[in-house]
Amino acid sequence: MTTQVIVLNGGSSSGKSGIVRCLQEVLPGAWMAFGVDSFVEALPAKLQGSEDGITFAADGGVSVGAEFRALEAAWTEGIAAMARAGAGIVVDDVFLGGAASRERWEKALAGLTVLWVGVRCDAEVAAGREIARGNRVKGMAASQASVVHEGLRYDVEVDTTHTESLECARVIAAHVTG
C-alpha cells in the first residue's frame, strides 16, 4: 500500500523541521508538511499561558488543558481528512504523552497507511540547538530528548546527533512505499 502520512516524533530541537523540508524535496510527488509548532502558533493568544490552553514552565516543561486537546483533535482530524482526499502529508510532532499522544494520531489516521518515524538527538546537542534558535524555553530540548520516545515503537528511526537532515530524509524516504 502507498504511504499516505509520515509522522515524525522527536523532542524540541531534535531536527524534525529540517528533515521535513528535506523529505519534501526527496520524496516523489508533492507532500504537505504540518508541525505542532504551527498548531501552537495558530492558537488564540488567550490559550497561550492558560490552564485550558498551553503553558511552558521555566524548566522547559509543557502542560496542556482541555481547550488545547479539543483544538488538537480538530487539527489532527483535519490533517487526516487531507490525506484521505489524496494529499501526501508529513507531520512533525512532539509526543509529550508518549503512547497516549500516538494513540490520538492513530485514531485520527485510522484506515490510512502511516509511516511512524522516531527522530532522536543527544540531549546536549539538542540543547545547543535550542540556544542557537533563541525561541525556545531553556531546558525544553533536554527534558524532551528521551521522554517523547518512551514506550513507543517506530517503523524507522533516525538520529540527528551526527547525521544531517538530508541523509535522515533519505533513510526515511527509503521506507516510503508507493
Side-chain angles (χ1 to χ4, degrees), residues 80-99:
M82 287 185 282
R84 287 188 180 93
I89 305 289
V90 183
V91 174
D92 158 357
D93 205 344
V94 181
F95 290 177
L96 293 174

Side-chain angles (χ1 to χ4, degrees), residues 8 31 39 48 62 83-84 96-97 107 109 134 138:
L8 281 72
W31 287 74
F39 166 69
Q48 305 281 344
V62 180
R84 287 188 180 93
L96 293 174
K107 179 182 175 198
L109 300 174
K138 187 176 179 190

Side-chain angles (χ1 to χ4, degrees), residues 51-162:
E51 188 175 295
D52 283 336
I54 186 167
T55 58
F56 299 95
D59 66 356
V62 180
S63 299
V64 300
E67 194 77 27
F68 177 97
R69 287 287 181 228
L71 291 171
E72 179 189 44
W75 180 66
T76 58
E77 289 293 336
I79 289 171
M82 287 185 282
R84 287 188 180 93
I89 305 289
V90 183
V91 174
D92 158 357
D93 205 344
V94 181
F95 290 177
L96 293 174
S101 296
R102 178 167 166 161
E103 288 168 8
R104 285 190 290 278
W105 273 111
E106 287 173 337
K107 179 182 175 198
L109 300 174
L112 296 167
T113 305
V114 181
L115 182 71
W116 298 96
V117 181
V119 179
R120 296 186 182 270
C121 183
D122 177 78
E124 290 200 18
V125 171
R129 292 176 186 166
E130 173 182 79
I131 291 167
R133 290 174 82 164
N135 64 349
R136 295 286 191 262
V137 176
K138 187 176 179 190
M140 188 181 293
S143 70
Q144 294 177 2
S146 62
V147 71
V148 299
H149 300 292
E150 289 178 5
L152 295 174
R153 294 182 59 211
Y154 301 102
D155 298 312
V156 62
E157 292 188 43
V158 294
D159 190 325
T160 65
T161 304
H162 302 293

